[in-house]
Amino acid sequence: MDISLKHVDYRYQANTPFERLAIADVSIDIPTGVYMAIIGHTGSGKSTVLQHLNALLQPTKGSVSIGDQEIKAGLKNKNLKKIRQKVGIVFQFPEHQLFEETVEKDIMFGPMNFGVSESDAKERARIALHQVGLGEEVLQKSPFDLSGGQMRRVAIAGVLAMEPDVIVLDEPTAGLDPRGRKEVMDMFYDLHKERKLSTILVTHSMEDAARYADQIVIMQHGKVVQRGTPEEIFSAPGELVEMGLDVPEVVRFQLKLEDKLGIKLEKMFLTIDELSAAVTKVLSRGVRL
Amino acid sequence: MMDKMIFGRYVPADSVLHKMDPRSKILIIFLFVCIIFLANNAVTYALIGIYTFFMLGLSRVPVRFLYGGLKPVILLVLFTFILQLFFTKEGALLYELGPVKIYEEGLRQGIFISLRFFFLILMTSLLTLTTTPIEITDGLETLLHPLNKVRFPVHEMALMMSISLRFIPTLMQETDKIMKAQIARGVEFASGPFKERIKAVIPLLIPLFVSSFKRAEELAVAMEARGYRGGEGRTKYRELSWKKADSFQMVLLVLVTILLFLLRS
């Protein structure tokens, strides 16, 4: 399912003394099956963009098309529920949305709201729980008795069980330990690969963006300032640094190495493995250190 | 969704009312709430109305914003009006349509009571619109200070008040966030049959309760960690100062009160 934002403006609290333009003239195309990272500082408008992806917010100006539905500014839009089933959002600290008596019921909540039968929802709950790496023994526990990391996974399972075509992740690993971080990110990546699930990751971690995304969009002060593949984005690290954004460690290493040795590798490498292979190749040709 | 809410909200502006001492503002509101009951005829209500709108003008809060925020209240005022109109059965019969009878007294009472209600709401929102919560609490604490003598825990009360005021916006944000998360999971808060909508509140309320308790606990720990031990011997960072404008406003209100006494029937 393609999603595209066309010249979208969004104003918070329009017509009050607190009015604030959050995003201005934002156009982003999200084709089916892509893994896109949206990067920016706090207040850059990335969370506002995210909420347009399933019509939680409707543009003050411009339009958003989601699949075959178009949401235009100033119009009453119906049938948003269909959109919300297809575009699942995992909010920041999703564990805050848990409320049911048991983990199973909480995961079933989403699917059942969208009209899935109870027995099917139960089956989906089992599958989703498995996907997030939890065992079936937690199904009958209260979500509030789980550890923070487990709660996070249960909440994610609740979104996965809706079987969306597009999944939107807002800082899904905030507050997790490094291992939990990697597990959760890898899990989403596997889902993306296996199910061709379009994935949109909103983050300020350059490392994650470089490692997983096919496309990167960089936002600043409510505007899209750069977009491209990770290779394109990181090949001009100067601009990123100017914006106060980090460059992935691998890239930083490569830049320093090139600078020290006075050489230029054939391209920007985004993983340690690729970079070390390239460096080995150069060294084997014999560079004087 | 809660964008237009004005209750308990502070709107920063550079106005006479904003600069006044919170003590005088609280006293004025208190006195106003009492004297509004003195009004009992058209002249006195007009006087109260003029005074209210004069104060509104002084506050420099944008009218459009006030209007947006008061919309739900206006509905409530209308409702009181209609209730009074149909259920007061005194005075001359003005109008009759089947079982519906409107009496003169009903119309009069309806207009007066809804006006009273409306002015009260305007003036009290004016207090919170022009005074930060912290100022209100400081003001109240000083005003109630004498009650300490009868062992009334003034400082603790004031603290409780400032904490609850402080957390209103936080709670609003939290509500908004959780609402959005649940809408994304297919909950419909704004449409559907009444029974379903009532049920839809549960996935909102439970997470809110859970997070409020957590927050309360964290706050208590943070306060203890910073050595909070009640009001004993505590000094103030912000000193309140009574200015000319405060005296002027007090005098003005006293004048209004005297006029009310003279003009009421």
Side-chain angles (χ1 to χ4, degrees), chain B:
Chain B
M1 147 135 255
M2 314 256 171
D3 283 3
K4 293 204 168 95
M5 187 68 189
I6 68 163
F7 295 112
R9 193 149 179 191
Y10 175 70
V11 179
D14 183 26
S15 82
V16 189
L17 290 195
H18 282 80
K19 283 186 200 134
M20 274 170 67
D21 190 308
R23 283 173 298 183
S24 65
K25 282 192 263 189
I26 294 168
L27 284 176
I28 286 171
I29 297 301
F30 186 72
L31 193 59
F32 182 83
V33 171
C34 299
I35 63 165
I36 196 167
F37 290 97
L38 289 174
N40 62 358
N41 57 22
V43 188
T44 42
Y45 269 103
L47 182 65
I48 295 265
I50 291 168
Y51 178 71
T52 309
F53 284 103
F54 171 67
M55 295 296 274
L56 269 184
L58 281 186
S59 74
R60 296 217 185 148
V61 176
V63 178
R64 206 159 47 136
F65 176 64
L66 264 180
Y67 173 70
L70 287 176
K71 251 191 212 157
V73 182
I74 291 173
L75 272 179
L76 206 64
V77 171
L78 273 180
F79 182 70
T80 352
F81 175 70
I82 287 165
L83 225 58
Q84 288 293 332
L85 192 62
F86 290 140
F87 292 100
T88 312
K89 299 203 179 332
E90 276 170 62
L93 186 66
L94 287 180
Y95 184 76
E96 187 173 1
L97 186 93
V100 182
K101 291 190 177 95
I102 292 173
Y103 293 89
E104 196 187 330
E105 193 60 19
L107 186 65
R108 222 175 69 95
Q109 285 286 330
I111 292 175
F112 283 174
I113 289 179
S114 36
L115 272 181
R116 184 187 295 163
F117 194 26
F118 183 63
F119 292 146
L120 268 180
I121 290 165
L122 273 183
M123 280 299 280
T124 38
S125 359
L126 212 50
L127 176 69
T128 48
L129 283 170
T130 62
T131 325
T132 59
I134 213 90
E135 279 178 331
I136 297 183
T137 336
D138 271 358
L140 266 182
E141 194 178 347
T142 339
L143 284 174
L144 295 180
H145 196 71
L147 288 182
N148 259 335
K149 293 227 167 66
V150 289
R151 295 251 184 127
F152 183 79
V154 176
H155 172 79
E156 280 69 21
M157 276 282 299
L159 182 77
M160 268 162 62
M161 221 185 87
S162 62
I163 289 175
S164 29
L165 283 173
R166 158 67 185 77
F167 279 100
I168 289 173
T170 314
L171 211 63
M172 291 278 208
Q173 271 172 14
E174 190 89 8
T175 310
D176 193 56
K177 227 183 70 190
I178 295 171
M179 241 172 145
K180 278 182 176 155
Q182 304 298 23
I183 291 173
R185 292 213 284 166
V187 177
E188 284 180 276
F189 288 104
S191 59
F194 186 67
K195 212 181 123 202
E196 291 297 307
R197 266 198 258 179
I198 295 286
K199 259 168 72 188
V201 177
I202 299 171
L204 176 65
L205 279 189
I206 294 180
L208 267 181
F209 266 107
V210 172
S211 68
S212 304
F213 278 115
K214 244 189 232 155
R215 214 186 298 274
E217 215 175 302
E218 278 165 16
L219 183 68
V221 170
M223 282 169 71
E224 275 184 3
R226 292 210 266 164
Y228 178 79
R229 51 187 171 77
E232 204 106 339
R234 204 174 164 82
T235 52
K236 282 220 175 341
Y237 171 61
R238 283 171 302 272
E239 301 263 327
L240 300 176
S241 70
W242 190 278
K243 290 179 279 294
K244 254 189 207 152
D246 297 294
S247 311
F248 171 76
Q249 285 288 348
M250 293 303 292
V251 171
L252 181 70
L253 190 63
V254 169
L255 282 179
V256 171
T257 313
I258 295 170
L259 270 178
L260 278 179
F261 267 115
L262 293 177
L263 294 173
R264 73 191 297 252
S265 47

Side-chain angles (χ1 to χ4, degrees), chain A residues 141-206:
Chain A
K141 278 193 187 167
S142 159
F144 299 106
D145 288 341
L146 304 177
S147 73
Q150 287 175 318
M151 280 168 89
R152 172 81 50 103
R153 283 160 197 259
V154 169
I156 291 172
V159 176
L160 292 180
M162 285 158 40
E163 300 190 347
D165 296 337
V166 178
I167 192 152
V168 182
L169 312 168
D170 188 0
E171 301 276 4
T173 58
L176 292 183
D177 57 33
R179 200 175 117 206
R181 233 168 235 267
K182 193 170 177 315
E183 281 172 6
V184 167
M185 289 311 296
D186 285 347
M187 176 199 88
F188 282 122
Y189 192 65
D190 291 343
L191 275 174
H192 163 72
K193 282 281 167 225
E194 277 164 29
R195 287 218 226 145
K196 299 272 163 276
L197 201 62
S198 311
T199 308
I200 297 135
L201 171 70
V202 173
T203 181
H204 48 232
S205 159
M206 283 292 175

Side-chain angles (χ1 to χ4, degrees), chain A residues 6-17:
Chain A
K6 293 189 198 84
H7 307 289
V8 172
D9 275 16
Y10 188 79
R11 268 169 216 286
Y12 279 103
Q13 315 204 3
N15 302 326
T16 73

Side-chain angles (χ1 to χ4, degrees), chain A residues 41-114:
Chain A
H41 282 298
T42 332
S44 60
K46 52 192 196 320
S47 292
T48 309
V49 167
L50 170 150
Q51 292 178 43
H52 279 85
L53 301 178
N54 76 343
L56 276 176
L57 294 180
Q58 293 167 23
T60 335
K61 229 164 98 187
S63 70
V64 181
S65 53
I66 304 167
D68 48 12
Q69 287 202 60
E70 192 171 24
I71 294 168
K72 277 195 179 132
L75 291 180
K76 275 261 175 206
N77 295 288
K78 284 182 186 162
N79 254 330
L80 298 178
K81 212 165 167 173
K82 232 171 75 197
I83 293 178
R84 286 173 188 150
Q85 189 265 314
K86 286 186 179 150
V87 183
I89 298 195
V90 177
F91 280 94
Q92 214 170 0
F93 301 107
E95 57 272 28
H96 292 172
Q97 76 199 24
L98 299 173
F99 73 99
E100 276 283 12
E101 292 158 58
T102 65
V103 167
E104 184 179 39
K105 278 190 188 165
D106 208 285
I107 301 177
M108 286 162 64
F109 179 70
M112 285 179 71
N113 278 331
F114 293 115

